[in-house]
Amino acid sequence: MATEPDLNDGFHAVVLAAGSATRFGGRKLLADWNGAPLLHAALEIARAAPVDSLTVITGADAVEVAACVQAFDASIRQVHAAGFAEGMAASLRAGIASLPKDARGAFVFLGDMPRVPSSILPLMSEAVRLGAAAAAPVFLGRRGNPVVLGRGLFPAVAVLEGDSGARSLLQTLGARLALIESPDDGVLFDVDRPEDLPGRSPGP
């Protein structure tokens, strides 16, 4: 994780890791991804972002997820979303509320997305630095994750509800949302079911 403030310019990373993963059968972020917990792959990507800090938002399986984060990097900050059962909005609200008051923007990563190409991350924060309200990656015309939210959107995040996260907010931005082309489909891929893990075959 970079630390030079002149390069990172007040951007911070939030990794949402609070979901109960009911479709997966629970404990998804602890599942094996190429020899390490799935969450570690997402944290590696987040740590490559041009940010001043990295915060993981916990919820379901909080003790196990916290230990997983600690094993990856004990210096990573953790915030527990007490209302995580409400859905992704509760985690996002907790994450944004925990950032420094002078934060310029926030990368929002999902803990179950292990293949995001790091090359797009500086382009996303640069778009917000240059005036976009937010930035998101696209691949073959489909918008993916992570997203970068400029600080002007933080008050709107504070009143989000439900399980759609920032999606509904981004849909209102029009041309104020910068779309960054991704070199591959890693911005669309998430682990939803056990068969999405390496070496697993789809069921009959």
Side-chain angles (χ1 to χ4, degrees):
M1 184 166 53
T3 57
E4 299 86 347
D6 57 324
L7 295 178
N8 305 330
D9 205 14
F11 285 83
H12 300 263
V14 172
V15 180
L16 304 186
S20 57
T22 53
R23 282 179 291 184
F24 187 88
R27 299 170 60 87
K28 174 171 66 174
L29 299 183
L30 308 177
D32 181 80
W33 178 269
N34 293 326
L38 172 62
L39 180 57
H40 284 193
L43 291 176
E44 196 68 59
I45 295 163
R47 192 162 62 175
V51 295
D52 293 325
S53 73
L54 172 54
T55 301
V56 175
I57 310 303
T58 63
D61 303 318
V63 173
E64 295 91 341
V65 170
C68 183
V69 175
Q70 181 86 1
F72 178 80
D73 184 343
S75 71
I76 292 177
R77 187 164 162 263
Q78 298 188 45
V79 170
H80 183 69
F84 70 90
E86 173 195 332
M88 193 180 295
S91 300
L92 185 56
R93 291 196 310 264
I96 297 301
S98 75
L99 297 181
K101 299 300 182 185
D102 61 351
R104 184 165 188 168
F107 280 85
V108 180
F109 292 89
L110 304 183
D112 62 356
M113 294 189 67
R115 295 204 291 105
V116 173
S118 60
S119 61
I120 65 171
L121 303 179
L123 303 177
M124 293 173 65
S125 58
E126 180 67 9
V128 173
R129 184 180 290 110
L130 293 176
V138 291
F139 181 72
L140 298 181
R142 293 179 59 194
R143 195 176 76 213
N145 286 290
V147 299
V148 178
L149 304 176
R151 67 177 299 156
L153 296 179
F154 289 3
V157 171
V159 296
L160 286 174
E161 298 179 345
D163 198 38
S164 62
R167 184 183 310 161
S168 59
L169 180 57
L170 297 181
Q171 289 172 342
T172 69
L173 296 179
R176 299 171 60 214
L177 174 63
L179 298 176
I180 307 300
E181 291 287 342
S182 173
D184 60 52
D185 68 349
V187 300
L188 304 177
F189 174 80
D190 65 344
V191 173
D192 196 33
R193 295 178 173 83
E195 53 264 34
D196 296 326
L197 295 169
R200 299 289 188 94
S201 300

